[in-house]
Amino acid sequence: MAESENAAPRPEVAAPRPKAAMRRPKVAVLPGDGVGPEVLDAALPVVEALGLDWELLFGEIGWTCWQRDGEPVPADTWRLIEDSDAGLLGAVTSKPEQEAQAELAPRLRGAGRVYRSPVVQLRQRLDLYANLRPVVDYRAQPAQFDYVIVRENTEGLYAGFDVAEVRGELWDLVRSHPNAARSGPDGVRVALRLQTDFGTDRILRFAFGLARAQGRSGVVVADKPNILRSSGGRLRERVERVAAEYPELRAEICNVDAVAMRLVTDPAGFGVIVAENVFGDILSDVAAGVAGSIGVAPSGNVGERWSYFEPVHGSAPDIAGRGIANPFGMILAVADLADHLGAQAEAGAARRAVRAVMTRGEQVTADLGGSATTRQSARAVLACLV
């Protein structure tokens, strides 16, 4: 399904957009923790430089909220999200349950609080079913590759059916495995990969619709049907049904490991890739590495009513506070949000500015081979917008 990425520029469409409104868009700004506040603080001047008339509403989220209140997404933040049109997220920290309990305020320990990732909470409570990962070669002009990974956000192995004590019907299901029989119910863990017709059809239509809107030639569905034969067979049925609604697009079902190899050896051969949650997560990070750094990768979490955009790199606590985190992923997340809110020209200007800085190779952070600080890199992008 090779696709030339040096053809005429395609429309810069990030995702389905909310209905047009005359009022200023309200954007929930959630710095989070780790390097999140640093990259967000460096990127927000881009909003003003682009002339984007957004009302910015600031709220709390993340590890500090958990430590203080036993809830990483405060009630005030949920109300702020409800009052906004979309969001920007810096980054949030998640730690294993034992550490989460140990870092709670003393008055909250032993009170039955259970840490739930704020990112998972946002995706599930707000039904942000599509994770959007644009992968662009910003180091070259013209780009050597430019494709999008669409990841189903609400199902798969991340749906939450992760069991450490296997009993009842679930034990009856797995007990025939020789290692389960040797270990017994207390020595077996099971995580279920949930896939539904509703969720599968919805993410497929999102991916095919995106390919059509962006003028791409086809969609690759990444899964493992040669091993996961029952669910893979059902997936093929759903792909064939949805693909028939988009006859001008080529549809291809590929083994996810083969797709991972092609991301490294022939990234220009892709237009849109769609995958279930875990496979999409892994492919996205492989793609970010091929593109130069995970610090350059933006991400969108898209729902019918609300969506938010963030850099992929996470909270990076090992470098937090040092002022060396790459701000480009956050700036490109701002661009994707602008696209989502209908400001395509401004989104394109931000992306061209990032490309200009990256192709020069100056004023870039250490992950890209430079020595610039977060603020210096962000100011270099701003200088290209003046």
Side-chain angles (χ1 to χ4, degrees):
M1 71 137 251
E3 172 173 327
S4 172
E5 299 300 336
N6 294 327
R10 59 177 55 87
E12 295 185 276
V13 180
R17 300 184 183 87
K19 293 179 181 178
M22 297 301 293
R23 62 174 175 79
R24 298 167 66 197
K26 293 182 178 181
V27 175
V29 180
L30 309 174
D33 47 60
V35 300
E38 300 171 43
V39 295
L40 192 52
D41 187 54
L44 282 179
V46 171
V47 175
E48 182 177 358
L50 291 172
L52 294 166
D53 187 23
W54 296 346
E55 183 180 352
L56 304 181
L57 311 174
F58 288 82
E60 291 186 297
I61 196 170
W63 198 252
T64 300
C65 300
W66 164 257
Q67 292 174 305
R68 184 190 65 214
D69 303 322
E71 177 50 69
V73 188
D76 285 347
T77 298
W78 286 118
R79 285 190 286 270
L80 182 147
I81 288 171
E82 181 64 28
D83 191 43
S84 65
D85 299 298
L88 284 172
L89 175 65
V92 292
T93 297
S94 286
K95 298 183 182 181
E97 187 61 21
Q98 186 174 350
E99 294 178 48
Q101 294 301 321
E103 295 188 28
L104 269 175
R107 61 183 172 80
L108 297 174
R109 294 175 193 164
R113 302 274 181 169
V114 177
Y115 180 82
R116 291 186 65 236
S117 163
V119 169
V120 173
Q121 288 193 56
L122 290 173
R123 291 173 179 173
Q124 292 186 349
R125 178 165 169 170
L126 301 171
D127 197 21
L128 307 180
Y129 66 93
N131 181 264
L132 195 66
R133 298 280 187 95
V135 185
V136 181
D137 179 18
Y138 283 104
R139 299 165 297 182
Q141 179 63 44
Q144 298 302 301
F145 51 83
D146 176 354
Y147 59 93
V148 183
I149 297 176
V150 176
R151 163 184 160 197
E152 206 292 321
N153 240 357
T154 63
E155 298 186 346
L157 279 176
Y158 293 169
F161 300 107
D162 185 24
V163 181
E165 296 179 1
V166 179
R167 297 288 187 273
E169 292 181 357
L170 189 55
W171 171 246
D172 292 339
L173 177 68
V174 303
R175 66 189 305 168
S176 62
H177 191 285
N179 290 349
R182 295 183 182 110
S183 300
D186 292 333
V188 173
R189 280 82 59 197
V190 174
L192 298 179
R193 185 175 92 140
L194 176 70
Q195 291 184 302
T196 69
D197 286 354
F198 172 81
T200 299
D201 290 358
R202 181 168 66 168
I203 200 65
L204 288 173
R205 286 195 174 94
F206 183 96
F208 277 86
L210 187 69
R212 173 180 282 174
Q214 293 189 344
R216 300 186 187 266
S217 64
V219 175
V220 169
V221 182
D223 204 71
K224 195 64 176 170
N226 62 328
I227 301 297
L228 303 171
R229 303 184 71 84
S230 295
S231 59
R234 185 68 172 179
L235 174 64
R236 176 173 292 278
E237 294 176 12
R238 308 318 296 179
V239 171
E240 291 174 351
R241 179 188 294 262
V242 172
E245 302 170 14
Y246 302 85
E248 79 279 14
L249 298 176
R250 290 196 300 273
E252 184 181 1
I253 301 174
C254 295
N255 287 328
V256 65
D257 46 349
V259 173
M261 182 183 70
R262 287 170 58 189
L263 288 180
V264 176
T265 61
D266 183 28
F270 291 104
V272 173
I273 301 169
V274 60
E276 62 92 47
N277 219 329
V278 172
F279 291 157
D281 191 10
I282 295 168
L283 290 177
S284 297
D285 282 4
V286 172
V290 175
S293 168
I294 201 168
V296 182
S299 172
N301 294 277
V302 179
E304 297 296 336
R305 197 210 71 80
W306 196 81
S307 305
Y308 78 88
F309 298 83
E310 63 180 332
V312 172
H313 54 60
S315 64
D318 56 320
I319 62 170
R322 296 170 58 189
I324 60 173
N326 191 331
F328 294 160
M330 189 76 248
I331 291 171
L332 291 169
V334 170
D336 288 349
L337 173 58
D339 227 345
H340 180 74
L341 294 175
Q344 284 76 43
E346 292 84 350
R351 294 177 184 129
R352 287 191 295 273
V354 170
R355 184 186 301 280
V357 176
M358 287 188 62
T359 53
R360 287 199 302 265
E362 304 167 1
Q363 299 298 311
V364 296
T365 48
D367 57 312
L368 293 173
S371 58
T373 66
T374 303
R375 289 189 177 278
Q376 287 170 340
S377 288
R379 281 198 290 265
V381 173
L382 285 169
C384 295
L385 293 172
V386 175

